Amino acid sequence: MSLAALPSPGSSSRDPALDLQRGRGRRIDGLDGRRRPVLAKWITCDVPTASRERFGAAQARWTVIGDQPGLVGQVGGWDPRTGRAHVLALWADAASHEVFLRDRHDAVADASGYRDIAVALGETVLTLPGTVATLTEAIEGPVLRVADCLLAAGAEDHFADVQREVWGPAMAAAGVLGGVVARLSANRHLVATFWPDAQTHRRYTGEVPGLRARAGADADITSTTGHVLALEQAWRVRAIR
């Protein structure tokens, strides 16, 4: 499955949506722009209101793993609709994540604050273009939009096609920084996009009903759970190069 292209460096006057359609530009998957998938890790925690401060302090301690080989970055925040905490971590590959789990995870992990946790892992199958050149830059955005999609049987190929041909160009034109589509299981895909601010994302959401119709989303997707997170700065883990 081919990956979406991004604008070439120095081509800020070019429309990234047109670049995607024409196959021009530079891809942003991986740590450094190389053409490879990355591993996405999506974590959801149920946190009682009384424990939010303690949970947030525990999340801030993850900054110590910034020097871990293979880490692309980690971000998280609170879902204002559900009150749950969500964390998205990106790794260069599954092998580097496994080394982290074996050698370092347990020394940092702190169960303080949450009463339930769900973790899903999957490789990215597509990168989405935007206004920055690399995924490492895109993840610096302050707003994360996630669409957690359950697909109908046999819909995976068409779902990927419309991400490239419909959703990707529309988000690029709207000002998205960039994003990824990760395959968490045979019928579950996570679309994670980073935005420069809440206002830019809100403007884009006005286009969503029309885009859903163009993409034939009702035929591909049996259910979608959406999350818009204002990312907590203290939870941000930047990879140290």
Side-chain angles (χ1 to χ4, degrees), residues 79-208:
D79 188 322
R81 293 186 305 106
T82 65
R84 293 189 179 99
H86 296 281
V87 174
L88 177 67
L90 299 175
W91 291 83
D93 48 53
S96 60
H97 178 253
E98 289 168 5
V99 169
F100 161 70
L101 290 180
R102 183 192 68 205
D103 296 346
R104 203 167 182 185
H105 175 273
D106 290 353
V108 184
D110 185 346
S112 295
Y114 66 83
R115 61 190 173 203
D116 193 21
I117 185 170
V119 180
L121 289 165
E123 280 197 342
T124 58
V125 295
L126 185 69
T127 51
L128 300 169
T131 60
V132 299
T134 68
L135 185 54
T136 305
E137 292 174 87
I139 201 173
E140 288 291 320
V143 176
L144 170 64
R145 161 67 179 177
V146 168
D148 192 345
C149 303
L150 296 181
L151 305 187
E156 187 172 356
D157 288 345
H158 184 260
F159 177 82
D161 287 343
V162 296
Q163 297 303 313
R164 283 189 295 266
E165 298 165 8
V166 178
W167 296 102
M171 287 189 286
V176 73
L177 297 174
V180 295
V181 180
R183 185 178 188 268
L184 302 183
S185 69
N187 72 329
R188 184 183 177 192
H189 283 59
L190 197 78
V191 183
T193 51
F194 299 95
W195 295 82
D197 50 64
Q199 183 179 8
T200 301
H201 178 260
R202 278 196 301 271
R203 284 198 302 267
Y204 162 72
T205 60
E207 303 175 30
V208 168

